[in-house]
Amino acid sequence: DPYWLQTDPARMGKVANSTLLIWVGIALMVTLLGAMAVTRAINKPLRDLSLSAGRIRDGEFDSRLDETTLTSEIRQVNMGFNRMARELSKLEDDRAVMLAGISHDLRTPLARLRLEAEMSVHDEEALNNMALDIDQLDAIIDKFMDYSRPGDVRLSPVGLSGVIDRETAVFRDAARIQIHSRVTPEAVVLADDIELGRVLQNLFENARRYGRSTDDDIAHVDVTCAPDGPWLKLSVRDHGCGVPPEKLAKLTTPFFRGDAARTSATGAGLGLAIVEKAMQRMGGTLELSLASDGGFVAQIRLKRAT
């Protein structure tokens, strides 16, 4: 007899089937747990990489990734990303130092030019024109410095009406611009007071240059405010001829100037680019559009202070 063990097959069938199901279940569970562990090991570094890339895009060049991960491929990627972040940080620092040096070095000869012009030029009209040119150069230097300003700002509750009144007072020439604000003192947002002032100053200056009415050659600017959920929307609208719709998307591009600006090229083409960058620093947004009945509209949106 070749068999050393004999059993009843009917009784063994139930045991064999249940044992097989248990082992199959255990194998599936181990496989699922292993797949989850592998997925987590791959997804977490990729998620960290995505978050760090977003911070780099927002100007936080000190973002760093873990260079001690177990996966050699991801470790190499993280090391390369960190090298890129260090180089970008160095370039940003060098750019800031260079622009600060340019600003300082240019303002000194400009001041001397103004003094020499006042002392040597006797033609009143020529003297005024030279003074205007020097002021324009000085303003362009300010624009460059505003655009290159670092991204760190401290947000605090700021009353919109107070900032609007302060910046409106700078534009006192009623023959060129008239600003009408309907913003109440209750409108308070989270912003940087100085940064928000620069935003409004650039928007008002943009309206003064290019938003004059064809009726009286005066820029009539309406400033209004409306709630938008947890945000406040501030609209600055002129009644000029506006811009071609296809150029709206390009207006925040540095050094881009539309046809109206090119005919009297007195700016650096940085005003709206500065506004957009300042709004990003304060966690807000800028939206440009054309009014249905004519005119250019700039809407800024900031978080309401609670």
Side-chain angles (χ1 to χ4, degrees):
D1 190 351
Y3 300 102
W4 61 275
L5 177 65
Q6 289 184 344
T7 63
D8 184 0
R11 298 179 62 185
M12 285 299 296
K14 295 180 180 179
V15 176
N17 291 337
S18 60
T19 303
L20 178 63
L21 289 175
I22 291 173
W23 280 108
V24 169
I26 292 174
L28 286 175
M29 186 176 297
V30 171
T31 302
L32 287 175
L33 291 175
M36 290 174 61
V38 171
T39 302
R40 180 178 176 82
I42 294 175
N43 283 350
K44 185 179 183 304
L46 292 177
R47 185 169 60 250
D48 293 342
L49 177 62
S50 176
L51 292 174
S52 296
R55 288 194 292 269
I56 290 288
R57 181 196 60 214
D58 295 334
E60 300 179 23
F61 298 111
D62 58 345
S63 299
R64 297 292 183 269
L65 293 172
D66 184 12
E67 297 183 2
T68 61
T69 56
L70 297 178
T71 309
S72 60
E73 291 83 359
I74 293 178
R75 185 164 61 249
Q76 291 296 325
V77 170
N78 289 355
M79 292 171 65
F81 182 90
N82 289 342
R83 284 196 299 271
M84 179 195 71
R86 287 192 293 270
E87 290 299 321
L88 287 174
S89 178
K90 184 177 182 299
L91 286 173
E92 182 67 15
D93 292 341
D94 292 344
R95 183 176 69 92
V97 172
M98 179 189 69
L99 287 172
I102 290 173
S103 173
H104 177 270
D105 292 344
L106 285 179
R107 281 201 166 101
T108 301
L110 283 177
R112 287 200 301 266
L113 280 174
R114 178 185 290 277
L115 179 61
E116 291 169 0
E118 291 175 351
M119 294 178 62
S120 60
V121 178
H122 302 291
D123 187 331
E124 190 69 25
E125 183 178 357
L127 178 61
N128 289 335
N129 290 335
M130 293 175 68
L132 288 174
D133 288 339
I134 293 172
D135 289 340
Q136 181 183 334
L137 287 172
D138 198 46
I140 290 174
I141 292 172
D142 285 335
K143 295 289 185 184
F144 276 107
M145 295 306 297
D146 283 343
Y147 187 71
S148 63
R149 197 173 302 278
D152 296 333
V153 295
R154 292 186 178 180
L155 303 183
S156 60
V158 176
L160 282 176
S161 61
V163 180
I164 293 169
D165 292 342
R166 184 186 70 206
E167 299 304 327
T168 299
V170 177
F171 296 85
R172 294 186 295 269
D173 188 358
R176 302 191 67 186
I177 182 171
Q178 296 178 9
I179 302 172
H180 312 279
S181 174
R182 294 195 293 274
V183 179
T184 62
E186 290 77 22
V188 182
V189 296
L190 287 176
D192 180 274
D193 185 86
I194 303 300
E195 199 82 353
L196 183 57
R198 290 194 186 97
V199 166
L200 293 173
Q201 187 180 80
N202 278 283
L203 291 178
F204 293 159
E205 178 64 18
N206 190 72
R208 185 184 69 83
R209 288 177 183 270
Y210 314 122
R212 297 186 191 180
S213 171
T214 55
D215 296 332
D216 54 10
D217 199 34
I218 297 175
H220 298 277
V221 182
D222 297 326
V223 185
T224 57
C225 184
D228 183 21
W231 305 82
L232 276 180
K233 264 188 177 180
L234 183 72
S235 297
V236 179
R237 183 234 169 127
D238 62 49
H239 295 266
C241 58
V243 298
E246 65 272 11
K247 293 187 177 180
L248 275 176
K250 300 179 181 179
L251 291 178
T252 55
T253 303
F255 310 112
F256 175 83
R257 292 183 294 191
D259 293 337
R262 281 196 294 268
T263 58
S264 56
T266 57
L270 283 171
L272 292 177
I274 291 170
V275 171
E276 183 178 56
K277 194 170 183 180
M279 293 305 300
Q280 291 173 353
R281 285 196 289 258
M282 293 188 291
T285 60
L286 168 69
E287 182 180 343
L288 306 177
S289 60
L290 299 174
S292 57
D293 55 345
F296 181 76
V297 183
Q299 283 189 335
I300 62 174
R301 193 173 69 151
L302 287 164
K303 278 284 184 69
R304 302 169 70 175
T306 56

